[in-house]
Amino acid sequence: LTAVCASELTECGDVVYAWLGRQSFTVWIVIGTALGFAGYLLDVHRWKGVLRIFALVIYLGVTICLFIGVLFLTKMAPSTPIIIGMLMSLLGVIAVRKLLVQHTPTATFMSSVGCIFGLYAVGLTAVWLLWVLTPVFGGYNHWSAHRDDTENSFDTLTQFVLWCSP
């Protein structure tokens, strides 16, 4: 998903970056911070019973608001969607470990995860090289600092991150 939405392999990457660049991150970060501060002042981690559900809603609200706020920082930090994609991959590994293979020895699990991520990296590198050096994905896509991107008006750093991100 990260390779598709945060790169130039498809048109989706340009659309995602353009949309994220137009959003305001401040509102989301202020809301998330305010919810977190209110939860801290109300000491919600000690709530029991029905109030515990409300505390979980506050935790979820803080997480979602701060997540969206950080994601909307893309205009200033173009690598943000890529970093979030990597974090989501790590959360997936943690979820698999905790939910499906908790009885597998740690060394075996970590070796398997390392092999899978290694194969994934080789696969993405191969796709990127095919995209850059061959006409397989619609033509030769070499890097140029003077790219014609007037539609989205990305700065050079964002264009470079989009070009090399897969």
Side-chain angles (χ1 to χ4, degrees):
L1 186 61
T2 302
V4 172
C5 291
S7 72
E8 285 189 343
L9 283 176
T10 64
E11 293 294 321
C12 184
D14 288 338
V15 172
V16 167
Y17 267 84
W19 184 78
L20 289 173
R22 289 191 300 267
Q23 306 305 316
S24 173
F25 68 93
T26 11
V27 172
W28 293 99
I29 290 184
V30 166
I31 291 171
T33 304
L35 273 174
F37 190 65
Y40 172 75
L41 289 179
L42 296 173
D43 213 8
V44 296
H45 73 280
R46 295 181 183 261
W47 291 359
K48 304 280 187 228
V50 177
L51 289 178
R52 182 75 179 154
I53 295 171
F54 185 67
L56 293 175
V57 169
I58 290 176
Y59 291 147
L60 185 63
V62 168
T63 304
I64 289 171
C65 289
L66 291 178
F67 177 80
I68 291 171
V70 167
L71 190 58
F72 287 165
L73 282 170
T74 299
K75 186 161 183 93
M76 292 179 285
S79 59
T80 302
I82 298 166
I83 293 168
I84 288 175
M86 291 187 314
L87 289 174
M88 298 302 274
S89 297
L90 291 176
L91 287 176
V93 169
I94 292 169
V96 166
R97 177 68 175 164
K98 295 290 184 187
L99 299 175
L100 301 176
V101 292
Q102 63 266 39
H103 300 297
T104 303
T106 303
T108 304
F109 177 75
M110 295 310 292
S111 296
S112 301
V113 168
C115 290
I116 290 169
F117 276 119
L119 290 172
Y120 181 65
V122 168
L124 278 182
T125 302
V127 167
W128 184 78
L129 287 172
L130 286 172
W131 178 73
V132 170
L133 302 174
T134 68
V136 173
F137 292 112
Y140 298 93
N141 297 291
H142 63 281
W143 168 249
S144 170
H146 305 290
R147 297 172 63 124
D148 183 29
D149 193 11
T150 55
E151 179 182 329
N152 294 320
S153 66
F154 293 135
D155 63 355
T156 305
L157 177 61
T158 303
Q159 289 177 9
F160 183 74
V161 167
L162 279 168
W163 177 78
C164 72
S165 64

